[in-house]
């Protein structure tokens, strides 16, 4: 018996890799334009003191791995109660340090969790050629260790991963040492960097996650003849699986707090745009669940992407770093001021994810809305605005949904998905031998899997999915993944083949010769398991 419909997946609003002009968050070394003295005069240093190696007077280079590690060791000497650990090693053997700040100086992560304070994760430099976020993390670490932000630790716990991509930073390239975009791997969890972070998050779950990047100032030059002007662009999680209460809190409390802190220092803000097409509507950041901003929102955390304005090299570097520092400081102050509400909202959201019977959104699109893009003259630096149309992922409209299953049965061939879910702390159960009534996914690819598919930001190929009723013989090595848990949105995004960047979609979980994926939806009785589940 055939169930549901045949659908061709077409992603709207995830246009980064196919744009005629470079995506905003990428290095712009390819363009000959350099900001004029008049433009740079508008980008003066922010009058605050930031303790970070790359901001020492006379500095001409970005902070090296050795200098970063020395800075962190120095903080540990100054503040012995600082937790300084390692998330593991990169493909090229570099360390992934992380820090945990508590007022009590706790070294036991279980004890940190028992404090029952909001846990704020701050992460920098996922893209190695976007250094200001990583530099800001070092300045924030100094301010939390023994500076202006230390008093906040009576009310919040802060985790900092200063450099998510050490290999990319060493080569000053966007990608990791394995030549993948780390910020497309948070759902798949195939890279040592994403695996290390998510294993630690399973021990110390975040209430808020902030991911610091840089966007390109020059991108609109071809289309508008002007430069991007905003010092900091910000966007929260935009995926239909993100709990509505978390989204409301992000936009009503934490976004205004960050904007206010930036504006007090004369820094401007706008929404993050994922690209600058030559014609047509501009696009806010995409909806792919593999992007950190969206992935951590799917876990029930308040999640933000921050992107400082990068005009090239070390131009206006202190201002770029300061914009990240001030935004994060504003968020930390807001969390400290109203921590109980944050904890309640996140806990309620995660319980709602576990209890939900709502359908899964499998197709959605952003509306096109009017927007004013902040720009500046490329010669004089004079500020101006451009009225445009914006395809806005903050207001997604679901166009197709699918009934939510009780859970999923995974055959041994789905090993990559099983490993990723285990790392994330998703509850898995060994399925007992049985014949189970399921809905099978029949998958047809009309175009080959490409790097764009693997990196799950822009998809140009079509994927057809049909649900079929099927009795499957469950044997040794099969796994039952119940949906009644806080990770239900992550589970669905990982396992529904037509979820952008899912394990089946990118080819990590192979489809059989008969077109059936080794992932089965269970919508009626719960399968038997070996032992309690």
């Amino acid at each position: 018996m055939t169930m549901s419909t045949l659908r061709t997946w077409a992603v709207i609003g995830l246009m980064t890799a196919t744009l005629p002009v470079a995506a905003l968050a990428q290095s712009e070394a390819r363009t000959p334009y350099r900001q004029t003295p008049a433009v740079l005069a508008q980008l003066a240093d922010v009058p605050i003191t930031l303790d970070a190696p790359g901001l020492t007077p006379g500095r001409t280079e970005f902070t090296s791995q050795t200098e970063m590690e020395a800075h962190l060791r120095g903080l540990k000497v100054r503040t012995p109660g600082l937790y300084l650990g390692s998330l593991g090693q990169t493909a090229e053997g570099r360390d992934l340090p992380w820090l945990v700040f508590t007022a009590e100086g706790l070294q036991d992560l279980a004890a940190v969790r028992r404090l029952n304070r909001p846990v704020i994760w701050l992460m920098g430099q996922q893209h190695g050629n976007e250094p200001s976020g990583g530099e800001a993390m070092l300045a924030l670490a100094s301010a939390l260790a023994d500076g202006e932000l230390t008093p906040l630790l009576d009310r919040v716990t802060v985790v900092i991963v200063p450099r998510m991509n050490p290999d990319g930073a060493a080569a000053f390239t966007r990608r990791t040492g394995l030549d993948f975009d780390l910020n497309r791997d948070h759902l798949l969890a195939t890279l040592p960097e994403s695996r290390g972070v998510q294993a630690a998050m399973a021990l110390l779950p975040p209430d808020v996650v902030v991911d610091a990047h840089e966007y390109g100032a020059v991108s609109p030059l071809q289309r508008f003849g002007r430069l991007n002007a905003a010092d900091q662009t910000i966007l929260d999680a935009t995926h239909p699986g993100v709990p509505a209460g978390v989204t409301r809190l992000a936009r009503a409390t934490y976004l205004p707090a960050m904007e206010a802190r930036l504006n007090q220092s004369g820094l401007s803000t706008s929404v993050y745009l994922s690209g600058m097409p030559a014609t047509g509507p501009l696009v806010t950041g995409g909806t792919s669940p593999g992007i950190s901003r969206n992935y951590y929102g799917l876990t029930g955390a308040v999640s933000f992407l921050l992107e400082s304005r990068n005009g090239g090299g070390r131009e206006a570097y202190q201002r770029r770093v300061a914009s990240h520092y001030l935004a994060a400081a504003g968020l930390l102050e807001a969390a400290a001021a109203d921590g109980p509400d944050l904890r309640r909202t996140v806990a309620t959201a995660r319980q709602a994810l576990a209890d939900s019977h709502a359908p899964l959104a499998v197709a959605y699109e952003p509306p096109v809305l009017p927007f004013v893009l902040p720009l500046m003259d490329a010669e004089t630096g004079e500020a101006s605005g451009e009225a445009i149309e914006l395809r806005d992922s903050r207001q997604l409209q679901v166009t197709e949904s699918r009934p939510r299953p009780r859970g999923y049965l995974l055959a041994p061939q789905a090993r990559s998905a099983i490993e990723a879910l285990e790392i994330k702390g998703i509850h898995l159960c060994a399925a007992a031998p049985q014949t189970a009534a399921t809905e099978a996914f029949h998958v047809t690819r009309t175009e080959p899997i490409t790097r764009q598919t693997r990196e799950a930001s822009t998809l140009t190929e079509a994927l057809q999915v049909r649900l079929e009723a099927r009795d499957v013989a469950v044997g040794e090595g099969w796994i039952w993944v119940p949906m009644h848990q806080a990770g239900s949105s992550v589970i669905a995004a990982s396992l529904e083949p037509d979820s952008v960047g899912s394990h089946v979609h990118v080819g990590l979980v192979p489809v059989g010769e008969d077109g059936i994926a080794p992932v089965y939806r269970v919508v009626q009785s719960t399968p038997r398991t070996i032992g309690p589940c």
Side-chain angles (χ1 to χ4, degrees):
M1 178 178 178
T2 298
M3 300 179 63
S4 196
T5 61
L6 177 69
R7 183 171 62 81
T8 299
W9 179 258
V11 177
I12 300 175
L14 304 177
M15 301 165 58
T16 307
T18 57
L19 297 173
V21 180
L24 296 188
Q26 299 188 23
S27 170
E28 303 201 21
R30 63 175 63 91
T31 176
Y33 174 82
R34 288 293 178 265
Q35 296 179 112
T36 67
V39 168
L40 293 174
Q42 305 297 318
L43 306 173
D45 286 359
V46 180
I48 58 174
T49 300
L50 299 173
D51 177 25
L55 295 178
T56 54
R59 182 83 183 200
T60 60
E61 301 293 331
F62 295 115
T63 300
S64 69
Q65 178 81 7
T66 299
E67 290 170 325
M68 176 188 70
E69 292 176 356
H71 181 78
L72 300 181
R73 288 194 301 269
L75 292 182
K76 178 68 173 176
V77 171
R78 284 159 42 187
T79 312
L82 164 65
Y83 176 97
L84 174 59
S86 173
L87 298 173
Q89 305 293 309
T90 68
E92 296 179 356
R94 295 181 176 86
D95 191 49
L96 283 163
W98 69 308
L99 306 95
V100 182
F101 295 87
T102 59
E104 295 79 5
L106 298 177
Q107 302 298 299
D108 175 25
L109 297 182
V112 174
R113 189 167 177 172
R114 287 195 296 271
L115 290 173
N116 199 31
R117 293 176 188 148
V119 178
I120 317 298
W121 279 70
L122 308 175
M123 307 188 300
Q125 210 165 351
Q126 279 205 74
H127 294 146
N129 59 352
E130 299 173 13
S132 69
E135 201 76 57
M137 295 302 124
L138 299 179
L140 286 159
S142 296
L144 287 161
D146 55 8
E148 66 166 343
L149 300 180
T150 304
L152 300 179
L153 297 177
D154 287 332
R155 289 162 287 163
V156 295
T157 294
V158 183
V159 181
I160 294 182
V161 184
R163 181 170 288 176
M164 288 278 289
N165 183 4
D167 293 348
F172 205 71
T173 184
R174 179 181 177 90
R175 296 175 181 275
T176 69
L178 293 175
D179 196 30
F180 285 112
D181 188 333
L182 176 58
N183 200 27
R184 303 296 181 265
D185 192 59
H186 293 270
L187 189 68
L188 300 174
T190 64
L191 301 176
E193 297 86 355
S194 53
R195 285 179 171 232
V197 165
Q198 291 181 15
M201 283 186 172
L203 300 174
L204 200 55
D207 296 289
V208 180
V209 179
V210 174
D211 180 23
H213 289 249
E214 296 193 343
Y215 82 98
V218 182
S219 292
L221 196 59
Q222 179 176 320
R223 176 166 175 175
F224 299 112
R226 284 167 285 168
L227 307 174
N228 277 307
D231 290 298
Q232 184 69 240
T233 61
I234 307 174
L235 186 61
D236 62 306
T238 55
H239 184 283
V242 177
V246 166
T247 298
R248 285 193 296 270
L249 184 64
R251 297 176 185 177
T253 299
Y254 291 97
L255 175 60
M258 289 189 286
E259 291 179 327
R261 193 72 148 84
L262 288 159
N263 295 161
Q264 288 166 10
S265 293
L267 298 177
S268 59
T269 63
S270 188
V271 66
Y272 171 70
L273 305 179
S274 66
M276 192 65 60
T279 60
L282 302 189
V283 184
T284 58
T287 58
S288 167
I291 297 171
S292 66
R293 165 178 57 85
N294 293 328
Y295 171 78
Y296 296 110
L298 290 174
T299 71
V302 173
S303 180
F304 283 103
L305 168 70
L306 304 181
E307 300 246 2
S308 63
R309 179 190 184 279
N310 183 351
R314 282 181 57 92
E315 289 183 346
Y317 190 53
Q318 192 270 0
R319 187 181 183 95
R320 288 150 55 187
V321 175
S323 75
H324 281 304
Y325 176 94
L326 291 168
L331 182 143
L332 291 173
E333 290 162 353
D338 203 10
D341 182 56
L342 171 60
R343 293 286 283 176
R344 281 193 301 271
T345 300
V346 171
T348 299
R350 287 175 173 156
Q351 187 60 53
L353 286 170
D355 295 340
S356 178
H357 298 284
L360 302 177
V362 293
Y364 39 87
E365 60 184 48
V368 176
L369 302 171
F371 184 75
V372 177
L373 179 67
L375 299 171
M376 65 166 58
D377 188 274
E379 295 298 323
T380 68
E382 180 181 0
S384 61
E386 181 75 21
I388 62 165
E389 290 187 321
L390 181 65
R391 198 176 294 280
D392 196 340
S393 63
R394 294 171 295 180
Q395 302 186 47
L396 289 174
Q397 299 168 343
V398 175
T399 57
E400 185 178 343
S401 60
R402 181 176 291 153
R404 179 181 296 259
R406 290 174 178 261
Y408 299 84
L409 279 167
L410 306 184
Q413 296 91 327
R415 189 64 216 168
S416 83
I418 295 168
E419 289 180 356
L421 294 173
E422 286 176 331
I423 289 166
K424 299 170 190 299
I426 299 295
H427 182 59
L428 307 179
C429 308
Q434 62 197 284
T435 299
T438 74
E439 291 179 343
F441 292 106
H442 187 281
V443 178
T444 303
R445 297 187 187 277
T446 59
E447 295 184 23
I449 299 171
T450 65
R451 176 177 284 278
Q452 290 179 356
T453 316
R454 171 63 178 79
E455 296 194 343
S457 177
T458 301
L459 304 175
T460 57
E461 83 289 349
L463 178 70
Q464 295 176 339
V465 173
R466 185 177 70 245
L467 293 182
E468 299 178 357
R470 178 170 291 209
D471 292 338
V472 297
V474 177
E476 183 178 356
W478 284 62
I479 297 295
W480 167 241
V481 188
M483 282 286 275
H484 184 66
Q485 54 182 309
S488 61
S489 283
V490 170
I491 294 167
S494 300
L495 300 180
E496 296 280 327
D498 42 4
S499 168
V500 181
S502 71
H503 289 264
V504 172
H505 184 261
V506 305
L508 289 175
V509 170
V511 175
E513 293 183 359
D514 59 356
I516 300 298
V519 176
Y520 300 88
R521 292 163 48 95
V522 177
V523 296
Q524 297 177 354
S525 59
T526 301
R528 299 192 309 277
T529 59
I530 299 173
C533 181

